[in-house]
Amino acid sequence: MSVNSQLQNQSQTITSSTKQTPSFFVRWLRLLLKSKTGTIGLIIVLAVTLVAIFAKSLAPHDPNLINPAMMLKPPVWADGGSSAHILGTDNLGRDILSRIIYGSQISLAVGISAVALAGAIGVFVGLIAGYYGGLIDNILMRLVDSFLAIPTILFALVILSIFGPSVTTLIVVLGITNWVQYARLVRGEVLSIKEREFVKAAKSIGVRNNKIIMKHLLPNVISPFIVISTLSVATTIILEASLSFLGLGIQPPTISWGGILSDGRDYIATSWWLAAFPGMAITITVLAIIFLGDWLRDVLDPRANN
Amino acid sequence: MAEALLEIKDLKTYFHTENGVVPSVDGVSFSLKKGETIAIVGESGSGKSVTSLSIMGLIGSPGKIEGGEVLFEGQDLTTMSKRNMRKLRGNDIAMIFQEPLTSLNPLFTVGNQISESIRLHQKASKEEAKIKSIEMLKKVGIPRAEKVYSSYPHLLSGGMRQRVMIAMALSCNPKLLIADEPTTALDVTIQAQILQLMKNLTNENDTSIMLITHDLGVVAEMVDTVIVMYAGQVVEYTDVFTLFKEPKHPYTKGLLDSTPKIHELKDELQSIEGTVPAPGTITQGCKFQTRCTRATAKCFVEEPELKELSSNHKVRCWLHEQEEVAI
Amino acid sequence: MVQIVEEKNNKPTEQEEYLLEVKGLKKYFDISEGWFKKEKHYLRAVDNIDFFVKQGETLGIVGESGCGKSTTGNLIMQLLDKTEGEIIFEGVDLGTLKGEELRKKRAEIQMIFQDPYSSLNPRMRVFDIIAEPLITHHVVKGKDLQNQVYELLDVVGLDRSYARRYPHEFSGGQRQRIGIARALALKPKLIICDEPVSALDVSIQSQILNLMAKLQKEFQLTYIFIAHGLPAVKHISDRVAVMYLGKIVEITTKEKLFDHPLHPYTEGLLSAVPIADPELRDKKHRILIEGDMPSPANPPSGCRFHTRCPYAQDTCKSEEPKLMEAKPDHFVACHFPLKEGHGVLIEK
């Protein structure tokens, strides 16, 4: 049998046995519908985002309006609740629901931007250190080690007290204290991926280093990165809360979930709703982001097709 | 006819996956006499490894033995309790795998692991087990057995590790040794050593061997009987001499012709077109239809039975349904 | 007595004839530990090897794991930096080239890899994988690029519609074809095949070997075929080099090597290969090489094979044999080359 006819025959068998690769959007939708948690995550994250954008028209009250007559009103369904304040009021008579709605703006912005900043630095450092190895790797990883040795809160306190607390400083501080975990993660992944033969193949074709990093390494480290970064949006929101609590985070009258939560801490024994509702807002948002991250990881992996 | 040590009757092992039921082993029958060496030959996806794992009772979810019997000395292993099965494994049936490094626990010394298995199955004391272990290590040709006894697996070479696995497997004088690609990961000079060792040891103890392999050279040198598997089924079953001389199934013939041979020189190799079909994709007719050069209309509709051509030659092909046909 | 021609390896008679020439190639990996290393420890993966490859031929390099055959391939491919020696491709020492010049020259040498599962980027479509070399070297663009990728798919026997798919949708054999298409894209002169069939199923191996033979004829390719599977090497090679612990111990035409090897290691290696014919199993005498390959970090003195050689003598322990032309066109590194070495089949 000649080689040619073998080849033809072979192609025929394959054509009949493999399916077409669907377009990105079709896969995207199919994977979304297949994943219940992904769908829930996406809906909640979209909802929270919309709430943050349209806070002004959604909030029933001015979030900073102090009303001594309405101090510590419980939620509407509890005894003594008022329908004017569905989730009750705080110790200064401010409407909790409105505060949570406004707080979503800052919490989301800080959480996402800080993680984006940390991720960008971390992924860059990790890629460079892992791919080039040797002295560059050594220097960068010692830098990572020294960042790990600095207590996050202490570092944040110092920087925030030097530059003064503001949303931007907060994002920068959270960004530069968190990049190390991404750097370590990405470097580890790169070390194993760069031994795979497709990287060798790219080198032997003559692909330049920066292109190998961008086209061959980056897409292959993105999955673990997304999982970790969604988890860390959660911790960042909480870290922001702790800094706000220490008085170095978001300053009144700007509102964040962490801020509301720490305001409510003193009243937790008598008026649980002050801390419970912002706490729930954080928990639900964080869970939704994690769900969304899991789904996103699948979308970005061509192997998760069927 | 001598009593069979192992008899497999219509074994069916299916995997229940998200995409439906995959019949990895689909009605396999064969038997193995005491002292006999049998080879199961096939490519990836042929079901040869799943067959051996089914015999050992090592099929885990989502796989399940759906039907058939595995008779070991007349006892059906598929219905045996887990506890008795564990006793049997290691004692009467032992198994060695392709990659010895993954089958040895990296945290324990070699000696620790061999004595463990000896003590587990033979109720020996610690000292007795140690003496026996070192004796076994010497028997499988390990130099400085005492030193190896107290080494960790990663310090040994691939060949040494496989020797340790063999020592462990043979330490309880099993009646059946199942070897799943035992030399595939080894270099050729080491492979020759290990094969020689397996031959000697099993001759001494009259152990039966079930060798799972894709290497026809190893088959030709080692075994008495050959089972050729394709897509979960036995397609040809005969003694090794007949198989190499007069293969009857087009797949067997293709396999033999496509293997480059060290003692011959050919301009061009024959080859079998196409690729092994994913299990479960061919639901009608002969499983080899997509790659067979001699397929007729019938092959696409009806599935052939494993037919007995002579007392020791069975083949699953429509070409041989009526009369002898040269292929 | 065997006639020994004292000459430093295969000296070229017509320089132009050789597509590739390797001279005194060494690759030592530094494995010293700690900060205050008094003595440097090296793993001598490749230790002073010489060979040449003629235009249009296939040179097989065989040996067991750790012998340095893959390192040799990677050195020629410039994927590793050599410690010493010259790699002369088309008369130019690649070591003297830099930057853009090297990139261009290097494009004429390509590689086919062992593992069809790790050699293709799982995140790239087949089209982009095959197009990457063409884009990298700015060969073509747009519609022409598409046509060339399609032609390459035709050449390796894959359907054009596969271009849009991802590697995971293919079987091992098909993936290897994709890898071959990528290697062919830049119309290389030399292709280094590093164990190209050892990860494939038996019935697929022959498809790939036949495809490689067909492409060699069609595109006048020169192959360096690195493998541990001797039957495949015998099938595809014109000449074969046998490596042991970083050294070439024997190099000659495949007929001479497989029928009358001169080095005891080659003889043992050939004898160890199982023969796929049960009729021969009892007629064959097997020369078993005892023991394991020593560590390349600490190779034996003298002849590196002396620890396992059935014929070793005192000289072998102290003096290192040079690769010499023991018979016409038959080079061997042994103090006592076999007079009439046994080939594959040694009748009892």
Side-chain angles (χ1 to χ4, degrees):
Chain A
M1 166 131 338
S2 81
V3 178
N4 270 328
S5 69
Q6 277 170 28
L7 296 179
Q8 274 166 13
N9 236 315
Q10 151 124 9
S11 343
Q12 280 157 15
T13 15
I14 310 163
T15 324
S16 55
S17 66
T18 30
K19 289 168 287 181
Q20 271 293 329
T21 306
S23 76
F24 186 79
F25 185 70
V26 174
R27 278 189 48 222
W28 191 88
L29 210 66
R30 196 185 286 166
L31 281 164
L32 180 63
L33 294 176
K34 226 176 99 177
S35 157
K36 282 192 197 87
T37 50
T39 317
I40 295 171
L42 184 71
I43 290 171
I44 296 177
V45 170
L46 277 178
V48 174
T49 316
L50 287 176
V51 165
I53 294 170
F54 299 108
K56 224 175 204 162
S57 22
L58 284 170
H61 299 274
D62 177 349
N64 287 318
L65 182 72
I66 296 172
N67 183 353
M70 293 300 266
M71 263 163 56
L72 296 172
K73 285 276 174 228
V76 63
W77 57 86
D79 279 350
S82 145
S83 60
H85 301 286
I86 296 172
L87 297 182
T89 57
D90 68 1
N91 54 323
L92 297 175
R94 293 175 294 196
D95 181 45
I96 302 268
L97 178 63
S98 306
R99 289 182 68 76
I100 289 176
I101 289 174
Y102 271 94
S104 66
Q105 292 179 329
I106 295 298
S107 289
L108 275 192
V110 170
I112 292 170
S113 334
V115 167
L117 179 67
I121 304 174
V123 169
F124 178 76
V125 170
L127 283 170
I128 300 292
Y131 182 69
Y132 289 102
L135 187 65
I136 298 178
D137 183 29
N138 253 319
I139 292 172
L140 288 174
M141 283 302 117
R142 292 302 79 78
L143 187 70
V144 165
D145 289 346
S146 37
F147 263 90
L148 278 176
I150 302 172
T152 310
I153 296 282
L154 187 71
F155 178 73
L157 284 176
V158 171
I159 299 292
L160 286 168
S161 39
I162 294 171
F163 294 98
S166 78
V167 175
T168 325
T169 348
L170 192 66
I171 290 170
V172 172
V173 164
L174 292 175
I176 47 182
T177 47
N178 278 325
W179 67 271
V180 284
Q181 53 167 329
Y182 301 108
R184 284 166 68 97
L185 170 91
V186 168
R187 173 180 173 269
E189 288 289 317
V190 169
L191 285 183
S192 84
I193 292 167
K194 80 169 179 178
E195 294 308 318
R196 306 252 294 273
E197 283 179 339
F198 66 80
V199 176
K200 244 166 106 178
K203 280 187 198 166
S204 58
I205 287 164
V207 181
R208 289 188 174 83
N209 285 334
N210 55 7
K211 253 207 158 150
I212 291 181
I213 292 174
M214 294 309 289
K215 267 181 79 181
H216 293 277
L217 297 179
L218 184 60
N220 282 293
V221 296
I222 216 81
S223 292
F225 167 71
I226 282 177
V227 175
I228 298 293
S229 59
T230 50
L231 286 171
S232 100
V233 169
T235 46
T236 312
I237 289 178
I238 292 159
L239 198 63
E240 177 265 316
S242 6
L243 286 172
S244 299
F245 177 71
L246 289 168
L248 285 160
I250 305 301
Q251 300 299 308
T254 314
I255 306 161
S256 77
W257 288 346
I260 314 174
L261 189 67
S262 42
D263 285 350
R265 251 179 53 125
D266 293 342
Y267 298 89
I268 197 127
T270 51
S271 315
W272 54 269
W273 57 91
L274 263 64
F277 292 120
M280 267 166 65
I282 293 175
T283 312
I284 292 171
T285 309
V286 161
L287 265 179
I289 292 174
I290 291 172
F291 287 162
L292 187 68
D294 272 353
W295 166 71
L296 209 61
R297 180 196 56 197
D298 287 348
V299 173
L300 292 170
D301 188 347
R303 281 163 296 190
N305 216 350
N306 20 35
Chain B
M1 201 173 126
E3 170 91 16
L5 175 74
L6 178 76
E7 194 165 5
I8 313 287
K9 286 183 182 166
D10 202 27
L11 180 70
K12 288 185 172 137
T13 306
Y14 294 176
F15 282 79
H16 300 266
T17 67
E18 276 178 36
N19 304 323
V21 179
V22 178
S24 285
V25 175
D26 199 6
V28 166
S29 306
F30 64 91
S31 70
L32 180 57
K33 291 193 277 286
K34 198 162 169 42
E36 188 182 357
T37 301
I38 200 167
I40 303 186
V41 178
E43 299 177 274
S44 46
S46 64
K48 58 187 196 301
S49 286
V50 178
T51 304
S52 68
L53 292 173
S54 305
I55 295 169
M56 290 292 276
L58 293 174
I59 292 292
S61 177
K64 198 170 168 262
I65 297 179
E66 298 283 324
E69 291 171 33
V70 177
L71 299 174
F72 182 75
E73 297 186 309
Q75 250 184 317
D76 189 357
L77 302 188
T78 58
T79 56
M80 194 181 249
S81 74
K82 280 195 173 156
R83 204 166 145 229
N84 287 339
M85 196 66 212
R86 259 201 300 277
K87 238 185 235 170
L88 198 78
R89 273 200 301 262
N91 238 348
D92 289 336
I93 308 179
M95 192 158 181
I96 50 179
F97 298 91
Q98 174 173 350
E99 186 25 82
L101 188 57
T102 53
S103 4
L104 287 167
N105 188 333
L107 298 179
F108 293 99
T109 61
V110 163
N112 201 317
Q113 297 182 57
I114 303 186
S115 353
E116 182 86 346
S117 97
I118 291 175
R119 287 182 61 202
L120 202 67
H121 294 291
Q122 296 189 337
K123 305 216 167 25
S125 76
K126 243 182 175 171
E127 282 69 40
E128 283 165 358
K130 182 174 179 181
I131 293 166
K132 177 95 202 269
S133 308
I134 294 181
E135 191 187 307
M136 282 310 299
L137 288 174
K138 281 184 178 152
K139 213 168 171 182
V140 295
I142 291 180
R144 288 168 292 131
E146 285 85 359
K147 200 175 164 219
V148 170
Y149 182 87
S150 47
S151 315
Y152 287 89
H154 72 270
L155 295 171
L156 304 176
S157 68
M160 279 300 161
R161 278 185 220 126
Q162 198 57 288
R163 279 171 201 269
V164 168
M165 285 306 294
I166 292 174
M168 210 187 284
L170 296 181
S171 61
C172 299
N173 298 322
K175 293 170 182 151
L176 172 64
L177 176 68
I178 299 179
D180 192 349
E181 305 267 9
T183 58
T184 307
L186 303 177
D187 278 319
V188 63
T189 56
I190 309 298
Q191 162 172 288
Q193 294 170 5
I194 297 289
L195 293 179
Q196 189 66 46
L197 175 73
M198 280 173 63
K199 260 194 239 176
N200 294 347
L201 290 177
T202 51
N203 279 346
E204 267 171 46
N205 305 323
D206 215 17
T207 311
S208 307
I209 299 184
M210 196 173 124
L211 184 70
I212 288 129
T213 183
H214 66 272
D215 188 332
L216 290 166
V218 173
V219 171
E221 298 219 345
M222 286 286 288
V223 310
D224 308 311
T225 313
V226 187
I227 293 167
V228 181
M229 281 188 72
Y230 188 80
Q233 294 180 324
V234 175
V235 295
E236 191 156 5
Y237 178 12
T238 185
D239 72 275
V240 67
F241 296 99
T242 315
L243 188 95
F244 280 82
K245 214 195 241 160
E246 295 173 67
K248 292 292 186 197
H249 198 283
Y251 175 64
T252 314
K253 191 158 168 27
L255 214 51
L256 288 170
D257 289 343
S258 60
T259 311
K261 304 203 178 48
I262 190 85
H263 63 299
E264 287 172 12
L265 207 50
K266 281 187 200 161
D267 284 343
E268 192 183 321
L269 294 169
Q270 294 289 319
S271 67
I272 307 177
E273 300 146 13
T275 51
V276 186
T281 46
I282 297 174
T283 50
Q284 207 183 18
C286 175
K287 298 274 189 280
F288 191 55
Q289 52 176 267
T290 49
R291 304 174 74 190
C292 188
T293 47
R294 309 208 42 189
T296 60
K298 192 178 188 182
C299 305
F300 292 91
V301 190
E302 255 183 277
E303 190 169 350
E305 293 286 309
L306 189 65
K307 198 195 172 227
E308 200 159 276
L309 294 181
S310 65
S311 65
N312 74 342
H313 199 164
K314 290 180 186 159
V315 66
R316 188 189 292 276
C317 179
W318 286 123
L319 288 173
H320 305 288
E321 199 60 13
Q322 263 73 46
E323 257 312 295
E324 284 283 305
V325 186
I327 62 167
Chain C
M1 184 64 198
V2 182
Q3 183 209 348
I4 292 173
V5 184
E6 276 278 358
E7 192 176 27
K8 165 104 173 157
N9 197 4
N10 26 52
K11 194 147 205 170
T13 40
E14 295 158 71
Q15 187 87 37
E16 310 77 49
E17 203 186 343
Y18 299 152
L19 182 67
L20 178 84
E21 209 183 344
V22 168
K23 285 183 184 167
L25 188 63
K26 285 183 189 172
K27 177 67 192 176
Y28 292 0
F29 292 99
D30 190 348
I31 49 166
S32 341
E33 278 171 14
W35 284 19
F36 309 100
K37 34 202 172 188
K38 278 185 190 149
E39 222 179 298
K40 289 253 184 189
H41 286 280
Y42 292 108
L43 188 146
R44 303 172 183 196
V46 171
D47 200 2
N48 200 2
I49 62 170
D50 306 83
F51 64 89
F52 61 84
V53 188
K54 284 185 257 183
Q55 168 69 41
E57 75 168 352
T58 300
L59 174 74
I61 302 183
V62 296
E64 299 178 278
S65 38
C67 72
K69 57 186 192 300
S70 287
T71 309
T72 306
N74 288 337
L75 287 168
I76 298 171
M77 201 65 238
Q78 308 287 307
L79 290 173
L80 285 173
D81 293 325
K82 63 182 189 242
T83 306
E84 225 175 84
E86 290 170 63
I87 298 166
I88 302 162
F89 180 70
E90 293 191 306
V92 185
D93 182 0
L94 295 182
T96 61
L97 297 181
K98 285 216 171 59
E100 205 53 25
E101 259 185 330
L102 179 64
R103 247 166 56 89
K104 276 205 187 112
K105 199 84 203 157
R106 207 167 81 162
E108 297 183 355
I109 311 177
Q110 286 299 317
M111 196 155 186
I112 300 173
F113 297 88
Q114 170 175 12
D115 182 357
Y117 289 87
S118 94
S119 65
L120 307 177
N121 186 340
R123 307 263 165 163
M124 280 166 83
R125 286 174 196 269
V126 170
F127 183 91
D128 298 316
I129 291 171
I130 299 177
E132 189 172 35
L134 298 168
I135 296 169
T136 304
H137 290 269
H138 311 289
V139 181
V140 277
K141 269 191 203 140
K143 194 79 193 154
D144 289 339
L145 178 68
Q146 188 178 332
N147 286 337
Q148 277 212 23
V149 171
Y150 284 164
E151 273 166 35
L152 285 162
L153 282 170
D154 293 345
V155 160
V156 297
L158 290 175
D159 195 274
R160 292 184 174 195
S161 68
Y162 296 168
R164 292 189 49 235
R165 297 193 189 154
Y166 286 98
H168 70 94
E169 298 171 59
F170 298 93
S171 69
Q174 292 166 335
R175 286 160 158 259
Q176 201 56 297
R177 286 172 196 266
I178 298 168
I180 293 174
R182 171 178 58 192
L184 288 176
L186 293 174
K187 301 193 170 63
K189 292 178 177 145
L190 175 66
I191 298 187
I192 297 168
C193 318
D194 191 359
E195 304 268 13
V197 297
S198 54
L200 303 175
D201 266 322
V202 181
S203 74
I204 309 300
Q205 287 192 5
S206 59
Q207 291 177 3
I208 298 298
L209 287 174
N210 284 343
L211 173 67
M212 287 176 57
K214 179 195 124 184
L215 296 174
Q216 182 164 38
K217 260 185 236 153
E218 209 171 308
F219 300 104
Q220 289 89 46
L221 295 171
T222 305
Y223 288 142
I224 293 181
F225 190 92
I226 299 166
H228 68 273
L230 285 143
V233 171
K234 181 175 181 185
H235 176 75
I236 203 160
S237 308
D238 298 306
R239 286 186 312 120
V240 181
V242 180
M243 285 187 74
Y244 186 79
L245 279 178
K247 296 264 186 197
I248 289 181
V249 296
E250 187 161 5
I251 179 167
T252 183
T253 63
K254 84 166 153 200
E255 289 79 11
K256 285 181 190 165
L257 189 99
F258 281 87
D259 294 339
H260 299 292
L262 298 183
H263 199 284
Y265 176 64
T266 314
E267 189 188 54
L269 197 63
L270 296 178
S271 166
V273 182
I275 295 184
D277 186 351
E279 306 283 342
L280 297 170
R281 64 159 90 156
D282 297 318
K283 292 182 190 142
K284 184 186 170 190
H285 176 65
R286 172 156 286 159
I287 301 164
L288 266 191
I289 299 181
E290 302 287 340
D292 277 332
M293 175 124 84
S295 160
N298 190 15
S301 61
C303 172
R304 291 186 180 185
F305 186 56
H306 85 251
T307 51
R308 299 171 78 193
C309 183
Y311 317 110
Q313 299 185 25
D314 284 344
T315 334
C316 305
K317 290 177 193 159
S318 50
E319 258 176 74
E320 194 176 322
K322 290 228 159 14
L323 191 68
M324 286 178 300
E325 192 166 11
K327 285 182 174 179
D329 206 17
H330 195 155
F331 297 84
V332 62
C334 180
H335 293 301
F336 308 99
L338 302 168
K339 294 215 169 66
E340 196 56 38
H342 293 296
V344 173
L345 241 189
I346 307 170
E347 305 260 343
K348 263 187 181 162

